[in-house]
């Protein structure tokens, strides 16, 4: 059994039964999120009857040992007061828990996740080393995928978008603490997208259409190759239809052909006879006139 589980087992045996068990949890609680709330819920449910005290370090202590916070100490205190699992908030909490602090607030147990929390003050390797050794530690589980550092990382990653977002909502350049050159650079990138969106989309659609055409051609070629292998003699046209055999379409009747030709020559002969007859008639008429 791990030391954490042993501490939990021992703490249950020594918990008072005639009053609520006073459990203490502490932290920075910057940008208070549901990961914080879940850890406090676990601390609150450590015992059937629990009074949960939550300590929060002030800005001076936090900035000295951990770094700059987004929210002020008063904002962090107030956020904790609105968490339904918290019974009491202790402002200006110490960075390292001591016996004197436990006695002052009549704390029975301290709740936190079991990972060693580096003591930047130099007092020890783990700020909870003392309460773990005393058997007064209650382990809670962290919530994966959410932390204050993760939230800040998301903002930093999409910094330009958030700058433009707040400018659109009425914040000034001075409010955001960014230079005029930075504002123009961010705006230029956004305008570039707006101006070129249609062209980029059209280019994508053109590439997509070309890809579909190549795919269709390849499929047609495969089918033609398959048909040739089967000896069908049929081929596919570019539109996907089968080419018909033209050899079977052209037939003619030789008798009909020559009948038409004879009729043609007959018409010519008849025309010549009429012409000769007319000439003879004109000649006879001329000779008659001369005799007279």
């Amino acid at each position: 059994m791990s030391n954490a589980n042993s501490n939990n087992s021992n703490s249950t045996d020594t918990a008072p039964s005639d009053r609520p068990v006073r459990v203490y949890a502490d932290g920075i609680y910057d940008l208070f999120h549901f990961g914080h709330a879940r850890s406090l819920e676990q601390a609150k449910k450590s015992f059937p009857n629990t009074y949960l005290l939550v300590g929060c370090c002030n800005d001076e202590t936090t900035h000295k040992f951990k770094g700059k916070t987004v929210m002020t100490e008063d904002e962090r205190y107030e956020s904790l007061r609105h968490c339904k699992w918290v019974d009491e908030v202790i402002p200006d909490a110490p960075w390292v828990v001591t016996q004197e602090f436990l006695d002052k607030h009549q704390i029975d147990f301290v709740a936190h996740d079991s990972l060693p929390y580096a003591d930047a003050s130099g007092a020890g390797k783990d700020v909870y080393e003392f309460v773990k050794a005393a058997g007064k530690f209650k382990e809670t589980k962290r919530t994966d995928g959410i932390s204050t550092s993760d939230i800040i990382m998301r903002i930093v990653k999409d910094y330009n978008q958030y700058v433009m977002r707040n400018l659109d909502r009425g914040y000034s350049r001075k409010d955001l603490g960014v230079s005029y050159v930075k504002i123009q650079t961010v705006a230029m990138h956004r305008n570039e997208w707006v101006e070129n969106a249609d062209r980029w989309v059209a280019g994508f659609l053109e590439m997509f259409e070309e890809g579909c055409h190549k795919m269709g051609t390849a499929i047609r070629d495969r089918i033609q190759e398959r048909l040739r292998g089967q000896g069908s003699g049929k081929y596919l046209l570019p539109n996907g239809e089968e080419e018909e055999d033209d050899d079977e379409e052209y037939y003619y009747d030789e008798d009909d052909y020559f009948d038409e030709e004879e009729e043609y020559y007959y018409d010519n002969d008849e025309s010549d006879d009429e012409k000769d007859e007319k000439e003879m008639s004109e000649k006879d008429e001329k000779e008659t006139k001369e005799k007279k």
Side-chain angles (χ1 to χ4, degrees):
M1 182 178 294
S2 65
N3 292 335
N5 290 336
S6 298
N7 289 337
N8 286 343
S9 178
N10 294 335
S11 62
T12 303
D13 295 338
T14 58
S17 57
D18 58 342
R19 61 173 175 82
V21 180
R22 294 173 67 85
V23 176
Y24 174 76
D26 63 355
I28 308 304
Y29 302 108
D30 192 20
L31 297 176
F32 190 84
H33 52 75
F34 69 88
H36 292 140
R38 284 183 177 178
S39 67
L40 296 177
E41 178 185 7
Q42 295 175 56
K44 177 69 174 180
K45 296 180 178 179
S46 297
F47 301 95
N49 187 12
T50 302
Y51 184 85
L52 180 61
L53 303 94
V54 179
C56 187
C57 300
N58 59 29
D59 287 345
E60 181 182 358
T61 301
T62 303
H63 296 169
K64 179 179 179 181
F65 296 124
K66 189 170 185 177
K68 183 174 176 57
T69 58
V70 177
M71 300 171 68
T72 66
E73 57 186 45
D74 291 331
E75 292 170 335
R76 294 184 284 116
Y77 301 155
E78 192 63 19
S79 296
L80 287 168
R81 293 189 182 100
H82 288 272
C83 179
K84 71 176 185 177
W85 309 111
V86 178
D87 295 303
E88 181 181 341
V89 175
I90 302 177
D92 302 322
W95 189 255
V96 180
V97 177
T98 63
Q99 184 63 54
E100 180 182 1
F101 181 80
L102 297 179
D103 293 340
K104 176 181 177 181
H105 296 281
Q106 299 178 341
I107 296 170
D108 298 309
F109 299 97
V110 176
H112 203 273
D113 63 81
S114 62
L115 294 176
Y117 201 88
D119 182 5
S121 68
K125 296 181 180 180
D126 183 4
V127 295
Y128 301 104
E129 185 177 17
F130 162 69
V131 290
K132 288 178 179 178
K136 294 181 176 293
F137 186 79
K138 291 292 292 182
E139 179 183 351
T140 58
K141 301 292 184 182
R142 295 178 64 91
T143 300
D144 294 332
I146 184 67
S147 69
T148 300
S149 298
D150 289 338
I151 295 174
I152 294 175
M153 181 188 68
R154 297 176 198 175
I155 298 173
V156 172
K157 180 181 177 182
D158 297 322
Y159 170 77
N160 289 345
Q161 295 182 36
Y162 286 113
V163 168
M164 298 309 301
R165 172 187 182 274
N166 279 16
L167 285 173
D168 291 341
R169 282 160 174 75
Y171 288 87
S172 68
R173 175 176 61 82
K174 293 182 179 180
D175 292 333
L176 298 174
V178 294
S179 67
Y180 175 79
V181 174
K182 180 63 179 178
I183 293 294
Q184 295 305 313
T185 302
V186 173
M188 181 181 66
H189 287 309
R190 182 170 70 170
N191 293 335
E192 180 182 1
W193 161 250
V194 173
E195 293 173 358
N196 294 286
D198 291 341
R199 180 172 58 84
W200 291 339
V201 171
F204 168 77
L205 293 177
E206 183 178 352
M207 293 176 60
F208 180 78
E209 183 178 359
E210 182 180 355
C212 290
H213 176 71
K214 289 180 179 180
M215 183 182 298
T217 301
I219 293 173
R220 190 184 71 241
D221 292 344
R222 291 286 299 274
I223 295 175
Q224 287 182 343
E225 183 179 352
R226 190 73 175 270
L227 292 175
R228 291 192 190 101
Q230 295 176 354
S232 66
K234 295 182 178 180
Y235 302 93
L236 293 181
L237 297 173
N239 60 3
E241 298 180 355
E242 291 186 357
E243 180 181 14
E244 296 183 357
D245 191 351
D246 294 338
D247 295 339
E248 299 178 359
E249 293 183 359
Y250 298 98
Y251 293 97
Y252 59 87
D253 191 330
E254 293 183 357
D255 295 337
D256 294 341
Y257 175 76
F258 287 112
D259 286 344
E260 293 177 358
E261 186 176 7
E262 290 176 359
E263 182 179 357
Y264 172 76
Y265 287 113
Y266 177 79
D267 292 339
N268 289 341
D269 292 343
E270 184 177 9
S271 177
D272 291 340
D273 290 343
E274 290 178 354
K275 183 177 181 181
D276 292 342
E277 184 178 350
K278 183 176 182 181
E279 289 178 355
M280 289 297 294
S281 176
E282 291 176 351
K283 184 177 181 181
D284 291 343
E285 184 178 353
K286 182 177 181 181
E287 289 178 354
T288 302
K289 288 180 178 181
E290 289 178 352
K291 287 180 180 182
K292 290 180 177 180

